[in-house]
Amino acid sequence: MANANPIVQMRNVSRRFGHIQAMAKVDLEISPGRIMGLLGANGAGKSTLLRHIIGLYLADEGECVTFGTDTAKLGPGELGRIGYVHQEGELLGWMTVSQLVRYVSAYYHGWNRELEEKYISDFDISLKDRVASLSPGQRQKLAILLAIGFEPDLLILDEPASALDPLARSQFLDLLLQIIQNEGRTIIISSHILSDVEKVIDHAVIMRKGEIVRDCSFDELREQYIKVTLTSLNGDLPAQLPFRNMIGCERSGSTAVFIVQGYTQAELEAKAKDANCKIEVRTLSLEEIYKVVVS
Amino acid sequence: MTILQANLKHLYQRRAFWLLGVFLVIFALLMVMAIVDAKVGREDGAFAIPADTDGAFALPAYWMLIVGMFLAAQCMDVLTKPFAYCLPGHKPVPRKVLFYVGWSLSILWSFIFFMYPGVRFGETFLACVSAFFMFPLPYWLGVWCVSKWRSWCAGIGFIPLLIIGGSLMDLHLRIEYLIIHHWLWMLLFGSMANVLAWIHWGRTDLARQYCGTLWMGAFDMWNKEKMAKFGKARLAKIPTGISPGVEDFFVSRISKCHGRNLERYIWGSLYKSFGMLLSPRRQGCVWLLIIWFPLLMYLGYMGPGSNILLFMPCIMVVHMGSPVRSNMLICGGRRERFWSAIVLAISAAVLVTTLTTVCGLLSLLWEPVMPDLPIKGMTFEYRAIDVWSCFFAPLLIVPISLTFGLFMHKLKAFGLVAMIVILSVLFVAVRAVYRERFITVIPVLVIIALLCCWAAFVSILHHICMKRSLVQ
């Protein structure tokens, strides 16, 4: 996983809130150009991890470096390259949309006006509305616009689609895909809507109780877990199936459905042939993989 | 358990309500003591109704008002919850709660008129009946205020005004007089209030009207999420925003600071904190004329109490948006947050000190022309507010307020109350020791205190900005 110039480097990072261990000895490296999905249940430590990356939280132990700088010392140079959308969607409610866009854009020399106009139109955001009067979905769209308007090198999206309706979510995914086309941009996306996430990510990090339980490329993750439907060609299946690491095996007469880990498709087919069985294999969706990993 | 019982459980399940319960019981005991005292003191011979009882028998009217507000807040708490709308048989319950409690308390308090001195038995009985119909009037007023304003805090804020105004106008004496002498009117008005309340709280569309509406319930001011929601809703309703001139001024300065990051962040923070304040609004001028000038005139008659003016900066500063903790990521690091917070604190101190000093100077100008006010046999003389106090006290209070704000950023309301209590105690203690204008008497001490307060604020701010979490 090591990379010569990772954008984010976390080594042995721990963070505690009172009795709660929010992050426990987390090691993570994020390379440039990676589209990383950060997955985990509520309270798994995803938001805490993201806030460490941008220096809003400081680690109790360990070291966290973003763009080569200790996150405690992140300055405008580094933060000006990070776009951040967080789940609460905190914005300045007393401003109108146009005032807020103008205010935020004033900070960034490379603010893309064309992009701004395009997404204001696509997202159907009224410039005259007071930010406080926007619906949660509209506010989230505005937060996304503000985070991408200056075309950041690192885009951090903490539950960005949670308040969006299906149409807006689809627009948001299209937008993400467009951003991804711009090579070299790194995106970290934390979301519960895994069906959306799997369309865009190329790397997955799964967290549980403050620890990283999986950190690998999405393709690798998909190859690791395979759903198998095994059907005996001569009566009932044997009591002992010839596979190790079987997960969630459901048997009914001559058929068994289960998930296996660490086999190639060719190996599975060979084993099925030896057992005189017909085999159907399919890759798992991210949601299914997530359930397996977390359980 | 019946639905009614489930609703009444609210009254004892929340620990914070016990405090209110204790307050109501103490208040009730004090009233009973005042009533007994009035009765014992007047039973001997010459007795003129009602001045000789000092209106003690009418004091429960104030108590009923508070109870009305409290109970209405409970009913509203349940009514506004979306689940309550769907609960079977729940719709008539708020009316039951309000009437059971209201009438029971009215009956109890009306019995005190059996102790009323110097009246015959028949008159005593009529006084009791009259009181039974009179006490629901303030009770329903309390209920109405809370349900109308949809905020328990707004209702509570109304109580001191009513008590002060009531005592200035001898309202309790008048109420007692009305109960004893005009029982028919009391019966009429009391019945009308009860009937109207019965109709209002029995309306079939009441649950629909309140379901899911934003409601600021009892002790919700400690609820950060609800306060944020309320704040957003309030902001959304404000008709006028930032003026184009102010926006242009700040945004152009932020834009021009490329390469000078610290300066840019400071301008941004100043815009966030003072943009609205500096935007001239017609509404603001009206408030100035309606609230501030009369308040300033009133403060001059308060004597040492005029120093309350000096606490106002606390309220303003604690609610000022701080650049230290913000989840909205704008390109500014911890160093930028620290320095912008310093600049903001200095700007706030200058602004507030100017404001209070101007107030002090205005009161000095008005002193020769303001007349004496005779109220209830006493003469209130207008005295100018001490200008030196107006100048130094905000400079002292602003860093203290900001330090409280840094520590209690999640519970601003609690921080504000705690700070006002601590500062009041300190203020009273210093006054008691020095008696005179302590600020002018011991300038060296004041300067040392100023330096200490600012140094403490800066060091705490530095520690938080550099070492602590900056998540809001």
Side-chain angles (χ1 to χ4, degrees), chain A residues 1-283:
Chain A
M1 220 24 62
N3 187 289
N5 294 306
I7 280 187
V8 177
Q9 258 183 315
M10 292 178 123
R11 284 196 207 100
N12 223 13
V13 171
S14 295
R15 173 80 193 196
R16 182 175 271 281
F17 297 110
H19 302 295
I20 300 162
Q21 185 76 50
M23 278 172 69
K25 298 189 182 300
V26 168
D27 287 305
L28 180 69
E29 280 192 5
I30 304 171
S31 312
R34 185 175 280 178
I35 316 296
M36 193 186 96
L38 185 59
L39 318 173
N42 290 327
K46 305 185 297 293
S47 296
T48 308
L49 186 144
L50 296 178
R51 287 167 179 180
H52 274 84
I53 292 174
I54 54 176
L56 282 180
Y57 282 145
L58 297 180
D60 293 335
E61 287 172 39
E63 187 191 20
C64 185
V65 174
T66 303
F67 288 120
T69 307
D70 186 332
T71 51
K73 292 172 187 159
L74 287 178
E78 294 82 24
L79 291 169
R81 296 168 65 191
I82 304 174
Y84 175 53
V85 178
H86 58 94
Q87 50 189 329
E88 287 93 9
E90 182 213 330
L91 299 167
L92 303 173
W94 50 271
M95 288 187 184
T96 61
V97 172
S98 68
Q99 284 168 347
L100 184 64
V101 172
R102 199 175 163 212
Y103 166 67
V104 174
S105 65
Y107 280 87
Y108 300 97
H109 193 56
W111 185 267
N112 189 334
R113 292 279 163 211
E114 278 178 29
L115 200 72
E116 174 198 315
E117 281 162 20
K118 180 181 183 313
Y119 289 117
I120 281 179
S121 151
D122 284 1
F123 283 158
D124 199 18
I125 306 172
S126 166
L127 288 168
K128 285 178 187 168
D129 284 349
R130 185 70 58 91
V131 174
S133 70
L134 297 176
S135 68
Q138 291 283 84
R139 226 171 3 243
Q140 197 73 328
K141 286 177 189 174
L142 180 60
I144 291 166
L145 167 70
L146 297 175
I148 60 166
F150 57 99
E151 299 180 286
D153 294 331
L154 172 61
L155 182 60
I156 296 176
L157 305 162
D158 188 2
E159 299 287 349
S162 56
L164 302 182
D165 58 69
L167 185 67
R169 253 171 52 206
S170 154
Q171 281 175 334
F172 170 65
L173 282 175
D174 290 343
L175 164 70
L176 264 188
L177 290 167
Q178 282 171 33
I179 296 169
I180 290 162
Q181 282 168 6
N182 185 344
E183 281 183 21
R185 185 158 299 155
T186 312
I187 300 172
I188 307 173
I189 177 166
S190 142
S191 177
H192 287 300
I193 307 166
L194 302 182
S195 54
D196 288 351
V197 174
E198 76 177 326
K199 289 175 190 160
V200 290
I201 63 169
D202 59 22
H203 195 93
V205 170
I206 301 178
M207 292 190 77
R208 188 177 57 188
K209 293 180 183 171
E211 291 176 353
I212 290 179
V213 290
R214 267 296 185 284
D215 176 8
C216 57
S217 76
F218 187 40
D219 288 340
E220 200 179 315
L221 196 66
R222 290 185 83 153
E223 280 165 13
Q224 266 181 16
Y225 297 97
I226 295 174
K227 190 159 196 174
V228 175
T229 307
L230 196 68
T231 312
S232 172
L233 295 173
N234 53 353
D236 284 353
L237 285 166
Q240 193 70 37
L241 295 176
F243 302 97
R244 43 189 169 76
N245 300 334
M246 285 198 305
I247 300 160
C249 182
E250 286 171 21
R251 300 174 65 126
S252 64
S254 60
T255 307
V257 181
F258 53 90
I259 294 164
V260 285
Q261 188 185 350
Y263 284 98
T264 61
Q265 193 167 337
E267 284 172 338
L268 288 170
E269 279 169 2
K271 282 205 179 278
K273 197 175 175 185
D274 291 347
N276 199 20
C277 294
K278 189 181 95 177
I279 191 166
E280 282 172 38
V281 293
R282 74 165 175 87
T283 51

Side-chain angles (χ1 to χ4, degrees), chain B residues 316-466:
Chain B
M316 292 165 74
V317 166
V318 165
H319 284 95
M320 190 177 73
S322 164
V324 177
R325 293 185 178 93
S326 168
N327 295 355
M328 199 174 145
L329 197 70
I330 284 174
C331 49
R334 288 174 176 261
R335 179 174 159 267
E336 283 73 24
R337 290 183 190 225
F338 169 72
W339 282 109
S340 57
I342 294 278
V343 172
L344 220 60
I346 293 168
S347 311
V350 169
L351 200 75
V352 167
T353 307
T354 309
L355 189 76
T356 49
T357 310
V358 167
C359 288
L361 288 171
L362 275 176
S363 75
L364 208 64
L365 281 175
W366 290 344
E367 193 176 21
V369 290
M370 292 301 276
D372 292 348
L373 279 185
I375 298 173
K376 295 176 80 175
M378 288 188 289
T379 305
F380 289 88
E381 198 182 327
Y382 188 91
R383 281 173 190 263
I385 305 163
D386 182 19
V387 178
W388 284 110
S389 303
C390 288
F391 180 74
F392 280 114
L395 287 178
L396 205 65
I397 294 172
V398 164
I400 298 174
S401 312
L402 290 170
T403 311
F404 266 91
L406 284 175
F407 279 123
M408 303 201 171
H409 66 107
K410 285 188 178 166
L411 286 171
K412 274 188 181 170
F414 183 72
L416 188 69
V417 172
M419 184 180 61
I420 288 176
V421 168
I422 292 169
L423 285 177
S424 306
V425 170
L426 269 174
F427 191 77
V428 169
V430 174
R431 281 259 165 202
V433 173
Y434 294 103
R435 291 182 183 276
E436 296 301 319
R437 294 169 175 182
F438 71 99
I439 283 175
T440 50
V441 169
I442 39 175
V444 178
L445 205 67
V446 171
I447 289 167
I448 291 170
L450 272 176
L451 289 174
C452 288
C453 287
W454 279 97
F457 165 65
V458 171
S459 57
I460 290 167
L461 177 70
H462 187 266
H463 174 75
I464 289 174
C465 283
M466 300 301 164

Side-chain angles (χ1 to χ4, degrees), chain B residues 218-235:
Chain B
F219 304 106
D220 273 348
M221 64 191 295
W222 316 124
N223 184 335
K224 194 187 158 197
E225 278 177 26
K226 199 140 186 202
M227 284 300 285
K229 256 189 194 173
F230 222 76
K232 272 181 193 162
R234 190 173 53 83
L235 273 174

